[in-house]
Amino acid sequence: MSPVPAIETNQLRKVFGNNAAVKGLTLQVRQGEVFGFLGPNGAGKTTSIKMLLGLTAPTSGVAALLGKPIGDRLALARIGFLPEHFRFQEWLTADEFLLLHGQLLNMKAGDLNARLDELLERVGLADYRNKQLRTFSKGMLQRIGLAQALLNRPALVFLDEPTSGLDPVGRRLVRDIIHELRQQGTCVFLNSHLLSEIEITCDRVAFIRHGEVVRVLEMASLSAGQSKVTIRANPLSAEMLAGLCRWGQDVQANHDHVTMTIQDESALPEVTRYLVEQGADVYAISPNRLSLEEVFIETVGRDGGL
Amino acid sequence: MRAILILAKLTLREAMRRRILLAGLLLGVSFLIIFTIGFHYLLVQLEAEIAASAPSQGVARIANAEIMNGFVIMGLYAVTFLSIAMAALLGADTLAGEINSGTIQTVVTKPIRRSDVVLGKWLGFAGLLGLYLLLMAGGTVLSVFLQTGYTPDHLLIGLSLIYLEALLVMTITLMCSSAFPALATGGIVFGLYGLAFIGGWIEQFGAYFQNQTAVKIGIITSLIIPSEALWRRAAFEMQTPFANALGLSPFGTISVPSGLMINYAVFYLIAALILSIRIFQKRDL
């Protein structure tokens, strides 16, 4: 039996006036994975998150979180959320702020107090627990916001740009926390512009453009060696090109070379042998690992989808 | 219910932390001090003049009671205005401000109903306004009582009506705040208050000159916003029969709003509260 997906959406759509902010989001996120949500500015990422959390009503389409429809309170009790523009009740102290949100989550007093100590310690704010949030820096607010999102030991956490206000130390902290969450089996839905962060932390990423998923990518395939290979060999028949598809995709012949994308570089010797056996002279086979940034630009386009 | 109470407590705490309560209390206390001192000196003066001119003890006592009643009503009129200003100021920024800043986002994504947010705030403000009114109206009445031993008739009914008026204005503010930005909300609420005020006066003068059309205009205004009608009913309840019979005064009333109008105001308040919840539930945050 496969567990219910953490997030499942089907043609989720949001229209503001004449403008479709999200055209039709169809997506499946598994429980326990760290999922990156990528796209250029204005691609509808934040609107999508808001729809999933019930902040904004979809114009059409359906979605389920942890197997429950949007806005279901049983599901919300198991979800955490750090909004993009983390603005909180600044007249509360850090302690009071977490206490409030824990109470709204219906947590038991004993459990909540223990969790509060633990989280304040984890995000490095234990010394500031009695300070009002108005005195906090942007980075500190982000940390307390993160603690707030983790109070209920959620099964699913939405982090909307969790590192935007943080210095390198803070970013490292967030990265470590995401790692811990993954180990605990928490699904993290990460919306970030920082591709390097995504590259390190995510299991899978979805590329969004105009509020549609244009591509979903397993990060393992990227780091384990998905490469764009350039082959210079002569002569190359159409049959040979078709044969190359055994080892990869996107086989394209240009006038003096062929490019293809392969999943694993360990296939390269076999590719070479195949070409030689087919009677081609091989001059060069050079693999180029794709960075996430390259995949990003290749996927959403240089115009950023504008 | 649990979430409503948590959010009501939060609302009270916010008013305390953001020094709204403090500002209200400080101004309230200064109001009471000035009222007490002013009343004291006027009382001394008036007693002397009545003693000099009145033909008998009985007439003097009646005149005295009228003056004291007039003072209490005047004081309560000011208190009513301040409570309404308080109601509008508290409510205007609350939902609108939190929606605008995004503070609301981590609250409504908790396992609570959106109606809990509106009801919690309403309850918190209702408590605050109750406390404020108790201090201000209680202080006004107490000040006169301590100096003269006088309390107006039907005080409890009068104060309840004033409280109802403050709650009404606060609920309307909350309703606007769930739909519009804070500044627009403030503008709408004070505009409505002005409308009720002028409508009330047209009705008063209409009654004085026995012009039915003017009275009808007043009643229609009261149907649009029944706040001023509540004050006039409160004043009517607390005034002496003599003052009521005398008619036109800035703080009193000739055209008395009916019991039906009071029921209408209660209905209006409940409808506004339900509408605020509906608007807030539908709103994209």
Side-chain angles (χ1 to χ4, degrees):
Chain A
M1 191 191 86
S2 69
V4 290
I7 302 171
E8 190 168 24
T9 72
N10 191 2
Q11 286 303 312
L12 208 56
R13 183 177 169 84
K14 181 67 183 182
V15 180
F16 295 110
N18 291 325
N19 176 28
V22 176
K23 268 189 188 161
L25 186 78
T26 300
L27 191 68
Q28 214 184 64
V29 180
R30 302 171 201 133
Q31 294 221 27
E33 74 176 330
V34 179
F35 193 89
F37 202 49
L38 298 181
N41 292 327
K45 298 188 302 282
T46 292
T47 306
S48 299
I49 290 185
K50 283 183 166 186
M51 281 196 282
L52 292 174
L53 284 159
L55 286 166
T56 295
T59 309
S60 61
V62 287
L65 270 62
L66 304 170
K68 302 274 196 306
I70 286 175
D72 182 277
R73 290 202 293 281
L74 284 174
L76 284 174
R78 301 175 57 212
I79 290 172
F81 172 41
L82 173 66
E84 182 183 14
H85 302 292
F86 40 94
R87 287 286 295 274
F88 309 123
Q89 293 79 357
E90 55 170 28
W91 35 272
L92 290 175
T93 65
D95 245 357
E96 291 167 341
F97 170 73
L98 292 183
L99 213 54
L100 166 72
H101 285 82
Q103 286 170 347
L104 289 175
L105 283 161
N106 221 344
M107 291 173 73
K108 300 257 183 304
D111 180 33
L112 177 55
N113 285 324
R115 187 73 180 142
L116 213 134
D117 294 340
E118 185 188 326
L119 281 169
L120 281 168
E121 193 66 47
R122 187 67 193 88
V123 299
L125 290 174
D127 292 342
Y128 301 91
R129 61 189 304 162
N130 294 317
K131 290 260 187 301
Q132 286 193 18
L133 299 188
R134 76 172 88 239
T135 64
F136 276 28
S137 69
K138 199 178 173 207
M140 288 162 84
L141 282 174
Q142 208 148 14
R143 286 165 186 242
I144 198 73
L146 187 61
Q148 171 274 138
L150 304 179
L151 273 168
N152 52 339
R153 298 180 187 86
L156 167 62
V157 194
F158 288 87
L159 303 178
D160 198 349
E161 299 288 352
T163 50
S164 64
L166 294 177
D167 56 21
V169 180
R171 281 186 193 170
R172 180 64 179 268
L173 176 82
V174 171
R175 204 188 304 151
D176 290 347
I177 289 178
I178 292 174
H179 262 297
E180 288 164 23
L181 288 169
R182 196 217 320 254
Q183 276 163 7
Q184 292 155 16
T186 302
C187 173
V188 181
F189 191 88
L190 186 63
N191 178 14
S192 176
H193 273 112
L194 294 168
L195 296 175
S196 53
E197 294 286 330
I198 296 268
E199 208 161 358
I200 303 169
T201 44
C202 289
D203 297 317
R204 284 199 304 155
V205 297
F207 293 90
I208 313 300
R209 189 179 152 138
H210 300 317
E212 280 175 312
V213 177
V214 281
R215 183 168 177 190
V216 176
L217 181 72
E218 295 272 354
M219 290 304 291
S221 68
L222 194 68
S223 56
Q226 189 188 47
S227 304
K228 196 162 189 175
V229 184
T230 308
I231 302 169
R232 288 211 297 123
N234 215 351
L236 284 172
S237 65
E239 268 167 36
M240 285 155 78
L241 289 179
L244 283 174
C245 291
R246 224 177 299 165
W247 292 282
Q249 309 99 35
D250 304 333
V251 179
Q252 279 173 8
N254 299 297
H255 66 279
D256 66 341
H257 67 276
V258 171
T259 59
M260 65 183 287
T261 308
I262 62 160
Q263 292 306 321
D264 195 337
E265 283 179 16
S266 63
L268 289 180
E270 249 183 89
V271 171
T272 318
R273 212 172 298 131
Y274 167 77
L275 291 172
V276 172
E277 279 168 9
Q278 296 292 311
D281 296 329
V282 178
Y283 297 94
I285 291 191
S286 34
N288 291 299
R289 285 211 184 153
L290 292 173
S291 72
L292 190 58
E293 189 174 299
E294 284 170 302
V295 180
F296 182 91
I297 289 173
E298 188 181 284
T299 308
V300 303
R302 284 192 184 277
D303 60 352
L306 294 176
Chain B
M1 195 60 211
R2 222 182 46 87
I4 296 176
L5 289 178
I6 293 170
L7 292 167
K9 247 169 55 189
L10 184 72
T11 306
L12 287 172
R13 183 181 268 171
E14 176 173 14
M16 268 186 271
R17 287 283 167 82
R18 296 177 81 178
R19 316 239 164 89
I20 297 164
L21 205 58
L22 188 70
L25 288 183
L26 280 181
L27 287 171
V29 169
S30 1
F31 166 83
L32 288 175
I33 291 170
I34 289 168
F35 178 81
T36 304
I37 295 171
F39 179 62
H40 173 76
Y41 283 108
L42 285 170
L43 194 66
V44 171
Q45 180 75 25
L46 284 167
E47 273 177 344
E49 282 186 18
I50 288 167
S53 62
S56 73
Q57 279 286 316
V59 174
R61 213 171 47 239
I62 292 168
N64 240 335
E66 291 306 326
I67 287 157
M68 284 181 267
N69 182 263
F71 253 95
V72 175
I73 300 292
M74 185 189 75
L76 290 179
Y77 181 77
V79 167
T80 304
F81 179 77
L82 287 175
S83 311
I84 284 168
M86 193 82 172
L89 291 175
L90 283 173
D93 191 41
T94 186
L95 285 172
E98 287 176 33
I99 292 169
N100 188 38
S101 72
T103 305
I104 203 84
Q105 292 187 8
T106 47
V107 175
V108 296
T109 47
K110 294 292 180 291
I112 62 171
R113 296 181 183 87
R114 281 206 186 175
S115 59
D116 293 344
V117 177
V118 179
L119 291 173
K121 284 190 180 297
W122 190 89
L123 200 65
F125 289 144
L128 274 174
L129 287 174
L131 282 176
Y132 185 73
L133 200 61
L134 206 65
L135 173 91
M136 297 292 283
T140 304
V141 173
L142 194 68
S143 164
V144 173
F145 174 75
L146 289 178
Q147 294 185 66
T148 65
Y150 173 83
T151 47
D153 295 337
H154 311 302
L155 184 61
L156 228 54
I157 298 176
L159 292 188
S160 307
L161 288 169
I162 294 173
Y163 187 41
L164 181 59
E165 181 177 356
L167 289 181
L168 179 70
V169 172
M170 179 269 282
T171 313
I172 293 170
T173 313
L174 203 58
M175 179 178 75
C176 294
S177 186
S178 65
F180 308 112
L183 216 55
T185 297
I188 293 169
V189 172
F190 277 106
L192 282 174
Y193 179 77
L195 191 74
F197 184 81
I198 202 66
W201 273 103
I202 290 171
E203 185 179 340
Q204 295 266 63
F205 275 109
Y208 188 73
F209 295 116
Q210 298 182 340
N211 180 327
Q212 283 310 307
T213 315
V215 172
K216 273 185 195 140
I217 290 173
I219 291 173
I220 290 168
T221 331
S222 293
L223 289 175
I224 297 173
I225 168 133
S227 59
E228 185 73 8
L230 290 172
W231 158 254
R232 281 190 288 128
R233 181 73 192 200
F236 169 77
E237 294 289 344
M238 292 181 292
Q239 261 172 349
T240 61
F242 181 71
N244 276 334
L246 210 59
L248 205 62
S249 90
F251 316 114
T253 187
I254 318 172
S255 182
V256 181
S258 64
L260 208 61
M261 186 56 87
I262 311 303
N263 290 339
Y264 175 73
V266 173
F267 169 78
Y268 195 111
L269 187 154
I270 294 168
L273 186 58
I274 291 171
L275 204 60
S276 357
I277 292 172
R278 281 289 154 81
I279 296 169
F280 187 62
Q281 279 169 336
K282 292 256 180 299
R283 183 140 181 207
D284 285 347
L285 301 174

